[in-house]
Each structure stands twice: as structure tokens, then as C-alpha cells.
Amino acid sequence: MKKSALQVARASYMPKMPKALRGQVIAVEGNATQSVADQDAIKNLFPNTYGLPLIEFQPAKETREYAPIHTGVILSGGQAPGGHNVIAGLFDGLKALHPDSKLYGFLMGPSGLVEHKYMELTADIIEEYRNTGGFDIIGSGRTKLETKEQFDKGLEVLQELNIGALVIIGGDDSNTNACVLAEYYAKIGAGVQVIGCPKTIDGDLKNEQIETSFGFDTACKVYSEVIGNIQRDCNSARKYWHFIKLMGRSASHITLECALQTQPNYVIISEEVEANNLSLDDVITRIAQIVADRAAAGNNFGTVLIPEGLIEFVPAMKALIAELNDFLAENAVEYARIKRSEQRNYIISKLSAKNAAVFASLPHDVARQLTLDRDPHGNVQVSLIETEKLVAEMVGAKLKQWKEDGLYVGKYLAQTHFFGYEGRCAAPSNFDADYCYSLGYNAACLIGEGKTGYMSSISNTTAPASEWKAGGVPITMMMNMERRHGEMKPVIQKALVKLDGAPFKTMAAEREIWAKETLYIYPGPIQYFGPTEVCDQPTKTLQLEQQK
Amino acid sequence: MKKSALQVARASYMPKMPKALRGQVIAVEGNATQSVADQDAIKNLFPNTYGLPLIEFQPAKETREYAPIHTGVILSGGQAPGGHNVIAGLFDGLKALHPDSKLYGFLMGPSGLVEHKYMELTADIIEEYRNTGGFDIIGSGRTKLETKEQFDKGLEVLQELNIGALVIIGGDDSNTNACVLAEYYAKIGAGVQVIGCPKTIDGDLKNEQIETSFGFDTACKVYSEVIGNIQRDCNSARKYWHFIKLMGRSASHITLECALQTQPNYVIISEEVEANNLSLDDVITRIAQIVADRAAAGNNFGTVLIPEGLIEFVPAMKALIAELNDFLAENAVEYARIKRSEQRNYIISKLSAKNAAVFASLPHDVARQLTLDRDPHGNVQVSLIETEKLVAEMVGAKLKQWKEDGLYVGKYLAQTHFFGYEGRCAAPSNFDADYCYSLGYNAACLIGEGKTGYMSSISNTTAPASEWKAGGVPITMMMNMERRHGEMKPVIQKALVKLDGAPFKTMAAEREIWAKETLYIYPGPIQYFGPTEVCDQPTKTLQLEQQK
């Protein structure tokens, strides 16, 4: 297999680890914990894994013997840079516990456990994947581990392979399910520990205990690299407005972080749109005003960052989509009979006045998209809407109107971009390489201590890696009860962008001047070999959040 | 102005230079040269700048005195990484000739010369831009310098500023015009030398004398970085076909280079499509066959690289577009009266049978696009066609048909990407930083020798920079006569991908196995600080072309 020069050179990078994990460890236990809300309900659902103490590892003074423990590992959900290093750290940690420990990877996500598809991850295989991006070592998948049947089926293969611990690397939902599985295996005395690891480029799995999810750092740096390049182009050609959509449907952390790294002329934060009950027209008007103001100063160019999930955070759009979902589900047959050229007017005539007005205000293509392809649940596929084009086009329409009204003089040419797949499988930054390796190694330590229902936790992450803290957080501690598909479920609270948090407030304090001036920052590509201030810095989000 | 850590660290990079340029130089002249074709015609048009000798600089044994020479510089056309280093090298070279030499930048491209918009580039300003991407130091533009009026108008400001030399940094057309300007100023005894520098990310300005144009290296590395990341995602999720379009309308060098760097499952090369007189359906069928073959092996995923200019290289599409241009120009009023829903059938009924069939075979959106927005000359705006979606959709339609016919079993989900603006203004790779600085410094040497009508030339570029050769190539030497807008014009020959050249042949020899296996290479981001095999390698194209 041919490799690039960088693949070859990067393979030998030794991830930096917290001092506490470098030799044998002892687990220092804190007080009993509580869930973040709904304590009684969560306690009832998790009698065996509720209320466990926080754990912090310290270097051990005395040497201990550990028995070999075979462990399974699963990559769950979307790719995030550093997943391979979690597995490498886990492998090394297990071997440090006992050289006869084995690591098995379940293939293509949680379904590998249920369908008994797996491979042993030997030292040779692990070597090939150190410090690389991607989840291709064992693949990933989106099957949800939720049912007793799945758990029992999984247990068959775990027992067959004599596996005593399972590490699930995933986002908030996958870690919720890891805890449900931990509880179930504890309840039936299956003898299988379950440990979670916090993964997601979206950055929405974080809380008091978990400072950041892995992959966020690298993905944001890749996006910021290309945003910076586009901004330099924008500032050289001085003739385009670039509308750049960034992955992340459920929260705007990526978009906010990239804005902090690159200082675009405007950035939309979905959480702010929702909190202020803004309409799409409000958002468009704001951007058009910035375009007009810059044009008045002779600058017919600029950049706008857009979070992928915007549409679903606009209250009026949410209402429209909900009514469309219901209406089209009930009238699918009749709608299918309407001539293509009549469909638009048909929909407008059937919706409630308020939603009909919103629908009519959308560009034809977007409106049409909302009435087309449905997902398997019959819902509008919001992810297929090209929000970046929608915004660019609506801003253009608004400016055209203003020009006719004599309110705007300028040229408006738009370019659109969407970045997502470009960042999910990049080779991890030093931060993610170190953080992931430590998370995995630390997971092995939790296994060695016999823990279950814990999430591997590395904290103090804005300090040099040697000073990072390592330990475990009971997953139940992060849970509350939320309505999902009509039922109350215990789930890990998703972290949205906080409008009173330091990252948002820092951006908000500067955005007026970003809009007016051209203060682009050009972060450039991730560097692996240079000075530490270039290679080892965590995200602005993390730095601002952890700032005392 | 806030800067990123990398901007700060990279500012102090000292570009590597050929040994020959490190002290004072002497110009060693070769024999008189000839144009590559149409010698009599070119000689007639360029009596003052035709037949000049090739020049190679050697270290001088004796010190010479140079008078101060004020010089103007113009960035012409699309951005390319390294333009700022050409200017920095030029500045340093001029100051080495004489500290009182001044450098003026004309603003926003050639129009700055004609409209007398300029700024002096002082040492302070130059310092801010060393080793950075973009053309924002003075901006760029696409005005063509072609008329006597422009030349005379430009001369006014040159004389006003006492400028004795002009450096034009541009692609093939800009360098052609630089030579026309050199000839004109020589003819009228204006006392202004004109020197060109070979710029374009497209890589289509190269020939026997000029090994590569600057920016190609960096841009291809940025695109290959994100293509590699997408491929790793593709190979992890194992559920998408990614169709990736790359900038470069007039030649497929970028797409070919990126393919050599990343080994996708398929790569379209426009020049091959044209040479083999392939239809769009031929291209689609080939890709669909690869999708089907991979599906049969259980691999419902893959990557395809597509050059931006594809449509214009498909002979049948070229014919269709030509007829559409003529027909719509003649029937604009009547067409405007046709109802939107009837336009498609109207066009089909009016075109010749062959072109009507091609038109009818296109997805509705693309066909519609071809009849919409026209450029200022009334032509179809081919660049607005989303070729990557066109190909993805047509492959899907073909597979659907095959599935119905029982010829294909598999899942087909497509994602599309277009990369262009992401790479044009990246901070230059070491190669481009060194190459550009040397080109600029070398241009100053040509100015010092009193040359005009030359292109700055740095060769032997696959050797370490210290061994690069520096000199000048008479621009007339690269010219031939071509028909442009109905008139025969002297132009620099554009370099298309040669089907018998080493880069194409290397790809062609391996593509069957790339299609079948999954042999992706992941180049990762450009590195500025690491080992030389990671940081200093030229493109695969250059390495293969220069291989003896």
C-alpha cells in the first residue's frame, strides 16, 4: 500500500500523555454523584450505575498485578479525527495491564456486536493506524444499541470471545446507550463492563465534567484552514460574497469556533436565531445590511459562515416544516396527482396563512425541495436543503429590492461552499492525537479498576498534556429526562452554544467590527512538526471556556 | 491586525534560492531563438523582441555597479499561491541592484496601469506579505492589456514615476500581452522593459523552457489534502460515492496531479475524452460500470475526480452548446415568450436531431441551465453548470436502469464537492515559496541586464533549490498563431495534458487497479516545518515529466 510522505513521517509520532497515566495508577474516588436533573427518574432507571463517584487517577506508589482482560471496541456514528488513536491508546493501556489482554474490534459500528462481526486488533494492525484519521480500522455505523434483544445477542459473542469489557466510542446518544447497556449487563450479572468515550466533531457532547469531545479540534482546524484560504481569495479578488456552510446540525459550535479562528464578516449562530425568535427574513435582512454597508465603503465582497442546522432553529421554518410533514403525510396520494407546475400554488393554498406566507417567501427550488424526498419516517429531509444557496439567493433578492428602492448601490456576486466530509477524517491534530490516545489509555485504566457505566475523562486540557487530569465520570451524572419520539427517555444533555458563554460573547463583542472592516485571520493548515504555539494549541472555544 | 500562530511563524521563512542568484550575476547568452511555430508571422509581429537568445545567469566573478531602476509590478488574472513571494523576491533583487531602486505596485490588475492606480511597495509593506498566500498586497484583475490606447495611457504613469521596467505576473494570455507591450515600448523607444512571470494554478503555462507555473504545486496539495480526507471518510463510512470537481477549465493538469497524489477510484481527464471522441454517455457508462463492479465486491463506495472543464471537451456537448448559442441569440425574443414548463420541449423541437437527442439526455436542471443565464457575449455560461452533480445524477440514472434490467445490485448514494477557491490563495508550499521568490529575484536580474520581452525562468526544479537554474526565455519563443474570436493572433501555446506524457501514462497504467481495489493515499495538509521529504517535494507531475 502506497503512503504519502506525511503518512510515513506521522506514524512515528508519540502522543503526549498526562503524567498521571505514565506508570501504574490508583483510582482516587470522590463523593457519590447525582444526575444533572430528574434524579429520581434516572436513579430508578439505573439502579446499578447511578450515584457512582467521580474517579481521578494518580500515579501509584506500589506495583499491582492485573489479570489479562479481553476487551471489545466499537466506533459508533459519524467519523471524527482521532478515533484510531483512542483504539491505539486502549490497546497500549490493556497491554500495560497485562500483555495477554486482547482487543477485539466490532465491525461497522454497533451492528458488528449484534451481528457478531469482529476482528482481533493485533499489534501489527494497530501500528498501521497510529495518528491517522478515519474510522477505517474497523469501520463505523449508526445502528442504535437500544433493545434487550440486541444486548443479549451481543452478549453471546462477548462470552464466546471471553470479553470482559466493552468500549463504545460515540456521541451523546451512543454514550447514553452505552450506559443503558452497562446497566443491563450489571443487572443480569453478565460480567461485562461498559466504558464510553466522548466523540463528535460537532462539539455538542460536553459538560461540567467532559471539557470537549474528540475530533472537534481537528475538524474545526481543517474547516478554518479552507475558510481562511477562501477569505484571502475574497480579499484579493474583491468581487465575491462567499457563503460557507459548516457541518453540525444540532449545535453551532463548529461554526462559532471557525468564526473565532478566521473572523469572517458575519456568522450565523442557530442558537441565537432561536433564542431571539428570528425569522429567516430577519437573518437575511441583517446580512443584506452588512453587504450594503460594505458596498457603500467600496467593498463588494465578504464572507458569511452558516451552521448546517440553521433551518431547524428558525422558529417559523420549524412550524412550516411541521405542518408540511403532517399535510403531506395525510395528502400524499392527492399531492402526487398535482401537475409539477401547479404544486407550488397547491401547497400555498392548503397551508395555514402564516406558514403559507413563509413557504411563498422561499426561493422556488428550496420550497420545492421541502415538498420532495421524504426520509423513511415521512419527514422533510432538511439536510438536503442547500442552506448556503438559500441564504445567498435570498440576500440577493433582498438587495435587488433595495436597489430598486434606491437603498443600495453595489455589485453582488455570491459563491457558496459546504464543508463537512473534508474534516471528519483528517489526520488528528497534535491535540486530538494526544487527547484521543489519553482517552483510550485511560479507558483501559478504568477497565483495570473494574468500572462500568463510566465515560473516560481527560480534563485540564488547556494545560500542557503532561498536566492533564485523567479519570472517569459516571455517565448517569450527565443525564436528564427528555421527550424523544413521544416518550420520556434518559439521555445525556446535548450542549448547545450558550449565549452567555465566553466563546459566543467574545464573538458577539467583535462582530460589528468584523462586519465593517476586513479583519480576516488565515489559520493555514494543521502543522505537526513546528513550534508548539503553532502545533499544540487547543480550540479557541476550549481556551475561552476554560479561562478563569 | 490579529494573525494566526502559523502566519506569525511562517513570516520568518527564508525562501531557498538557486546558488547562481546568491551574489552578483552575469548573463550567459545562448543562440538566437525561434518561435515554436509560425516563425515568419511571429517575427513580423515582433521585430524588436523576436529571436532573442536564451539567457542563463551564472555567479559573477567581478562586481558590477547598477544604476537604481524604478520598477512597476502587476498581478494579472486569477490568484495563485506565491504571488506575494514573487513580489518580495523582485523587491529584494531590485534593492540588491541598487538600494535606491523603487518598486511600485499597480492596483487591482492591469487596469491599475491604465487608470494610474498604484502604490509604492516599501520594505515595511513587503515584510507583511512574505510567504503569505493571496494577491491582496495590490489586488489582481482580469483587464486585458491589448490596445495602443492602454499602452500609451500606461506609459504616462510609468514616465511620471520614472519607471524603467514593468513585471507582469500572469498566465499565458497575460504573458502574451506582456510581450506585445514589450514590443510596443521597444518600437516607440519608451525606455520601459517588460518582463513576465509564469503564474497559474491550472498548470497549463509550461513548455520546453518553462517547467511549471507557480501556484500549481500549492493548489494541488490543498485539493489533495481534502480529497484524501474525503477518501478516508469514504473508506470509513463505506456508503457514499463522492464526486469531486476540481478547478481548471482549460486543461486537466490539476485533476491529474490530484489523482496521482490520492489514487481515487476513477479520474476523468478532459483531454482523453476529447481525443477519443467520447460522448457524455460513454463517460457515464464507464463510471457506472466501476460502481457496479465495486458493488458486486461489496463496496458501495468510491471517489471520482472531475475536471471543471469537462463539458467543453465532450465533442457532442461542444456541438450542442454551439447550436444553442446561435439559436438562442437569434430567437431570444420568441424564447422569452415560451412558458417555463414548455421551454424544454420547445428547445428540443428546434434543435437539429443530433443535438436535440443530447439535450434530451441531460438531467432537467442541467438542460435548463444551458438555456438560462448568458454571459455578456450571449454565450451559455458553462462554468455555472454543476458538472459534479450532473455526473453523479446521470450515473445514478444509469444504475437505476441497470438495476431494472437486472444488471446491477447495490446501493448508490452520491455526495458532490467542488474545490477551487480553497486552493488559489493558500499560503505557498515551500516549493512555491522558493520558486516564486526565485522567479521574482531573477526578474530583477533580467531587469538589471536591460532585457525586455523575456519571461523569468527557473528550471531544474526537481533538484534541490540551490541547484535550480535561473535565466530568461524570450516570450516570442513560446508563441504560435491561433484563431481567437475569428482573428489569427500570436499567443503562447497553452499546455494541455499530453496523453503520451509520463503523468497521464502513469495514471493510465494504474487506474484499473485503483478502480477495483481501494488504494487511496492520504497526503494530509501542507507542512512547512517537518522533514524535507514531507515539506519540499514538487508535484508528481513535475517529477514524472522531468524524470530522465
Side-chain angles (χ1 to χ4, degrees):
Chain A
M1 194 82 111
K2 272 195 241 172
K3 289 184 185 176
S4 69
L6 181 58
Q7 283 177 273
V8 173
R10 183 68 176 162
S12 59
Y13 176 72
M14 297 287 292
K16 300 187 277 293
M17 273 227 287
K19 266 184 294 204
L21 294 181
R22 285 187 202 156
Q24 281 211 347
V25 300
I26 57 162
V28 179
E29 302 199 347
N31 295 328
T33 59
Q34 291 212 321
S35 63
V36 70
D38 310 312
Q39 288 83 5
D40 290 344
I42 307 284
K43 187 174 182 177
N44 261 335
L45 289 163
F46 296 91
N48 296 283
T49 52
Y50 187 86
L52 300 172
L54 283 170
I55 290 172
E56 185 179 342
F57 289 117
Q58 302 277 1
K61 300 216 173 68
E62 284 162 32
T63 308
R64 255 173 72 196
E65 297 289 324
Y66 294 87
I69 182 158
H70 296 352
T71 298
V73 64
I74 295 173
L75 291 164
S76 180
Q79 279 73 251
H84 290 159
N85 266 27
V86 178
I87 294 176
L90 175 62
F91 179 86
D92 291 350
L94 290 171
K95 291 292 181 186
L97 290 177
H98 196 290
D100 292 342
S101 297
K102 284 185 180 178
L103 180 61
Y104 293 91
F106 290 98
L107 304 181
M108 300 312 292
S111 64
L113 178 68
V114 180
E115 296 165 9
H116 299 191
K117 292 183 178 157
Y118 62 88
M119 66 191 284
E120 190 187 339
L121 294 170
T122 56
D124 285 358
I125 296 172
I126 296 289
E127 285 314 308
E128 281 295 300
Y129 288 89
R130 289 183 193 268
N131 309 310
T132 61
F135 278 9
D136 43 305
I137 186 170
I138 49 175
S140 180
R142 296 191 181 271
T143 301
K144 291 190 190 303
L145 287 181
E146 289 176 318
T147 67
K148 183 175 173 305
E149 290 67 34
Q150 291 174 314
F151 301 165
D152 290 338
K153 197 76 193 155
L155 189 55
E156 287 175 18
V157 70
L158 294 172
Q159 287 176 335
E160 187 182 305
L161 296 171
N162 192 25
I163 287 176
L166 189 61
V167 174
I168 296 179
I169 301 170
D172 51 344
D173 282 347
S174 302
N175 275 284
T176 293
N177 293 339
C179 194
V180 175
L181 186 64
E183 175 66 28
Y184 179 76
Y185 284 164
K187 186 179 86 180
I188 66 170
V192 180
Q193 304 162 237
V194 184
I195 302 291
C197 280
K199 173 229 71 172
T200 169
I201 64 163
D202 294 353
D204 55 6
L205 170 49
K206 63 179 172 186
N207 47 48
E208 285 290 307
Q209 292 76 39
I210 301 294
E211 294 181 355
T212 189
S213 56
F214 79 76
F216 177 68
D217 185 90
T218 306
C220 288
K221 283 173 178 162
V222 173
Y223 302 145
S224 295
E225 173 201 354
V226 289
I227 293 166
N229 288 356
I230 289 170
Q231 292 195 146
R232 194 121 214 177
D233 202 303
C234 180
N235 194 23
S236 299
R238 304 173 72 88
K239 66 177 178 184
Y240 290 118
W241 274 86
H242 291 269
F243 292 84
I244 305 168
K245 185 173 74 174
L246 297 164
M247 208 170 243
R249 275 181 70 188
S250 55
S252 306
H253 298 290
I254 289 177
T255 302
L256 178 56
E257 171 65 23
C258 291
L260 290 167
Q261 286 194 33
T262 62
Q263 302 193 166
N265 297 106
Y266 193 64
V267 51
I268 303 174
I269 300 298
S270 299
E271 289 85 343
E272 184 184 28
V273 171
E274 185 173 50
N276 295 344
N277 196 20
L278 300 183
S279 68
L280 204 49
D281 187 62
D282 294 332
V283 175
I284 298 302
T285 302
R286 176 80 192 104
I287 298 172
Q289 191 58 55
I290 291 171
V291 174
D293 290 347
R294 286 180 66 83
N299 297 319
N300 288 296
F301 64 92
T303 53
V304 177
L305 305 190
I306 303 169
E308 189 185 8
L310 173 63
I311 293 299
E312 292 163 279
F313 279 84
V314 175
M317 288 295 294
K318 235 196 288 199
L320 166 63
I321 290 167
E323 188 176 350
L324 270 177
N325 281 341
D326 290 347
F327 175 77
L328 289 172
E330 282 166 28
N331 301 279
V333 180
E334 183 177 338
Y335 181 68
R337 289 205 202 97
I338 309 290
K339 266 181 69 178
R340 186 176 157 142
S341 55
E342 298 301 324
Q343 287 169 347
R344 183 179 165 84
N345 290 332
Y346 170 80
I347 293 283
I348 292 174
S349 73
K350 295 291 186 180
L351 292 179
S352 65
K354 204 168 177 185
N355 287 333
V358 174
F359 188 85
S361 77
L362 298 174
H364 284 227
D365 292 353
V366 174
R368 185 169 171 70
Q369 183 66 56
L370 285 176
T371 67
L372 286 179
D373 315 305
R374 339 283 300 160
D375 71 13
H377 306 289
N379 293 324
V380 167
Q381 289 196 276
V382 182
S383 67
L384 291 182
I385 295 174
E386 296 180 289
T387 316
E388 67 281 22
K389 288 190 185 168
L390 166 74
V391 173
E393 197 173 317
M394 290 182 79
V395 167
K398 174 81 59 182
L399 291 168
K400 196 169 164 227
Q401 187 57 52
W402 288 358
K403 189 169 262 182
E404 283 165 17
D405 299 345
L407 300 170
Y408 160 70
V409 181
K411 280 184 198 169
Y412 174 77
L413 291 168
Q415 297 282 350
T416 60
H417 313 264
F418 170 42
F419 299 120
Y421 298 99
E422 292 77 2
R424 307 196 315 172
C425 286
S429 62
N430 282 359
F431 177 88
D432 269 329
D434 300 346
Y435 182 58
C436 288
Y437 185 84
S438 300
L439 281 172
Y441 199 98
N442 183 64
C445 295
L446 289 167
I447 291 168
E449 298 301 319
K451 303 299 175 190
T452 192
Y454 275 81
M455 193 181 291
S456 176
S457 157
I458 299 291
S459 58
N460 196 32
T461 51
T462 54
S466 62
E467 295 164 35
W468 289 355
K469 291 179 184 166
V473 180
I475 297 177
T476 52
M477 191 180 176
M478 309 171 202
M479 287 189 178
N480 65 355
M481 300 298 290
E482 291 181 19
R483 184 169 297 278
R484 297 280 171 96
H485 303 295
E487 249 183 292
M488 290 306 284
K489 292 265 190 186
V491 295
I492 296 176
Q493 270 190 335
K494 206 179 265 297
L496 301 186
V497 169
K498 288 182 184 160
L499 303 189
D500 60 354
F504 181 85
K505 280 165 69 181
T506 300
M507 179 281 289
E510 302 199 14
R511 62 179 157 186
E512 293 298 324
I513 188 158
W514 294 356
K516 206 175 149 196
E517 313 285 337
T518 302
L519 297 173
Y520 305 147
I521 296 177
Y522 313 115
I526 293 175
Q527 296 297 299
Y528 300 107
F529 303 99
T532 191
E533 70 274 15
V534 174
C535 298
D536 294 308
Q537 300 309 305
T539 57
K540 305 271 178 202
T541 300
L542 199 50
Q543 292 181 46
L544 289 164
E545 282 176 346
Q546 301 297 320
Q547 216 167 46
K548 292 296 173 287
Chain B
M1 194 82 107
K2 271 195 241 172
K3 289 183 185 176
S4 69
L6 181 57
Q7 282 177 273
V8 174
R10 183 67 176 161
S12 59
Y13 176 73
M14 296 288 292
K16 300 187 277 295
M17 273 227 286
K19 266 185 295 205
L21 294 181
R22 284 186 202 157
Q24 282 211 345
V25 300
I26 57 162
V28 179
E29 301 198 348
N31 294 327
T33 58
Q34 292 213 320
S35 63
V36 69
D38 310 312
Q39 288 84 5
D40 290 344
I42 307 283
K43 187 175 179 177
N44 261 333
L45 289 163
F46 296 91
N48 296 283
T49 52
Y50 187 85
L52 300 171
L54 282 170
I55 289 172
E56 185 178 342
F57 289 117
Q58 302 277 359
K61 301 217 170 71
E62 285 162 30
T63 308
R64 255 172 72 194
E65 297 289 323
Y66 293 87
I69 183 159
H70 296 352
T71 298
V73 64
I74 295 173
L75 291 164
S76 180
Q79 279 72 250
H84 290 159
N85 266 28
V86 178
I87 294 176
L90 175 61
F91 180 86
D92 292 349
L94 291 171
K95 290 294 181 184
L97 289 176
H98 195 291
D100 292 342
S101 297
K102 285 186 180 178
L103 180 61
Y104 293 92
F106 290 98
L107 304 181
M108 301 312 292
S111 64
L113 177 68
V114 179
E115 297 166 8
H116 300 191
K117 292 183 178 157
Y118 63 87
M119 65 190 285
E120 190 187 339
L121 294 170
T122 56
D124 284 359
I125 296 171
I126 296 289
E127 284 315 307
E128 280 295 300
Y129 288 88
R130 287 182 194 270
N131 308 309
T132 60
F135 278 9
D136 42 304
I137 186 169
I138 48 175
S140 181
R142 295 190 182 272
T143 300
K144 290 189 190 304
L145 287 181
E146 288 176 318
T147 68
K148 182 174 173 307
E149 291 66 35
Q150 290 173 315
F151 301 165
D152 290 337
K153 196 76 193 156
L155 189 56
E156 287 174 18
V157 70
L158 295 172
Q159 288 176 335
E160 188 183 307
L161 295 170
N162 192 25
I163 288 176
L166 189 61
V167 175
I168 296 179
I169 302 169
D172 51 344
D173 282 346
S174 302
N175 275 284
T176 293
N177 293 340
C179 194
V180 174
L181 186 64
E183 176 66 28
Y184 179 76
Y185 284 164
K187 187 179 84 178
I188 65 170
V192 179
Q193 304 162 237
V194 184
I195 301 292
C197 280
K199 172 230 72 174
T200 170
I201 64 162
D202 293 353
D204 55 5
L205 169 49
K206 64 178 173 186
N207 47 50
E208 284 290 306
Q209 290 76 39
I210 301 294
E211 294 181 355
T212 188
S213 55
F214 79 76
F216 177 68
D217 184 90
T218 305
C220 288
K221 283 172 178 163
V222 174
Y223 304 144
S224 295
E225 173 201 353
V226 289
I227 294 166
N229 288 355
I230 289 170
Q231 291 196 148
R232 193 123 213 175
D233 201 303
C234 180
N235 194 23
S236 298
R238 304 173 73 88
K239 66 176 177 184
Y240 290 118
W241 274 86
H242 291 269
F243 292 83
I244 304 169
K245 185 173 74 175
L246 297 165
M247 207 170 243
R249 275 181 70 189
S250 54
S252 306
H253 298 290
I254 290 177
T255 302
L256 178 56
E257 171 64 24
C258 291
L260 290 166
Q261 287 194 33
T262 63
Q263 301 193 168
N265 298 105
Y266 192 65
V267 50
I268 303 174
I269 300 298
S270 298
E271 289 86 342
E272 184 184 28
V273 171
E274 186 173 49
N276 294 345
N277 197 21
L278 300 183
S279 68
L280 205 49
D281 187 62
D282 293 333
V283 175
I284 298 302
T285 302
R286 177 79 192 105
I287 299 172
Q289 191 57 56
I290 290 170
V291 174
D293 290 348
R294 286 182 65 84
N299 297 320
N300 288 297
F301 65 93
T303 53
V304 178
L305 305 190
I306 303 169
E308 188 185 9
L310 173 63
I311 293 299
E312 292 163 280
F313 280 82
V314 175
M317 288 294 294
K318 233 195 287 198
L320 167 63
I321 289 167
E323 188 176 350
L324 270 176
N325 280 340
D326 290 346
F327 175 78
L328 289 171
E330 282 165 28
N331 302 279
V333 179
E334 182 177 338
Y335 182 68
R337 289 206 202 97
I338 308 290
K339 266 181 69 179
R340 185 175 158 142
S341 55
E342 297 301 326
Q343 286 168 348
R344 184 181 164 85
N345 290 332
Y346 169 80
I347 294 282
I348 292 174
S349 74
K350 296 291 186 179
L351 293 178
S352 65
K354 205 168 173 184
N355 287 333
V358 174
F359 188 85
S361 77
L362 297 173
H364 284 226
D365 292 352
V366 174
R368 185 170 170 71
Q369 182 67 56
L370 285 176
T371 67
L372 285 180
D373 316 305
R374 339 284 298 161
D375 70 15
H377 307 290
N379 293 324
V380 167
Q381 289 196 277
V382 181
S383 67
L384 292 182
I385 295 173
E386 296 180 290
T387 317
E388 67 281 21
K389 289 191 183 167
L390 166 74
V391 173
E393 198 173 316
M394 289 182 80
V395 167
K398 174 81 59 183
L399 290 168
K400 194 168 165 228
Q401 186 58 52
W402 287 358
K403 189 168 262 182
E404 283 165 16
D405 299 345
L407 299 170
Y408 161 70
V409 182
K411 280 184 197 169
Y412 174 76
L413 290 168
Q415 297 282 350
T416 61
H417 313 265
F418 171 41
F419 299 120
Y421 298 99
E422 293 77 2
R424 307 197 315 172
C425 286
S429 62
N430 282 359
F431 178 88
D432 270 328
D434 300 346
Y435 182 57
C436 289
Y437 186 84
S438 300
L439 281 173
Y441 199 98
N442 183 64
C445 295
L446 289 167
I447 292 169
E449 298 301 319
K451 302 300 174 189
T452 191
Y454 274 82
M455 192 181 291
S456 176
S457 157
I458 299 292
S459 58
N460 196 32
T461 52
T462 54
S466 61
E467 294 163 34
W468 290 354
K469 290 180 185 166
V473 179
I475 297 177
T476 52
M477 191 180 177
M478 310 170 201
M479 287 190 178
N480 65 355
M481 300 299 290
E482 290 181 20
R483 185 169 296 279
R484 296 281 171 97
H485 303 294
E487 250 183 292
M488 290 307 284
K489 293 263 190 186
V491 296
I492 296 175
Q493 269 189 334
K494 207 180 264 297
L496 302 186
V497 169
K498 288 182 185 159
L499 303 190
D500 59 354
F504 180 85
K505 281 164 71 182
T506 301
M507 179 280 288
E510 302 199 16
R511 62 179 157 187
E512 292 298 324
I513 187 158
W514 294 356
K516 205 175 149 195
E517 312 285 337
T518 302
L519 296 173
Y520 304 147
I521 296 177
Y522 313 115
I526 292 175
Q527 296 296 299
Y528 300 106
F529 303 99
T532 192
E533 70 274 15
V534 174
C535 297
D536 295 308
Q537 298 309 305
T539 57
K540 305 272 178 202
T541 300
L542 199 49
Q543 291 181 47
L544 289 164
E545 282 176 345
Q546 300 298 319
Q547 216 167 47
K548 292 298 173 285

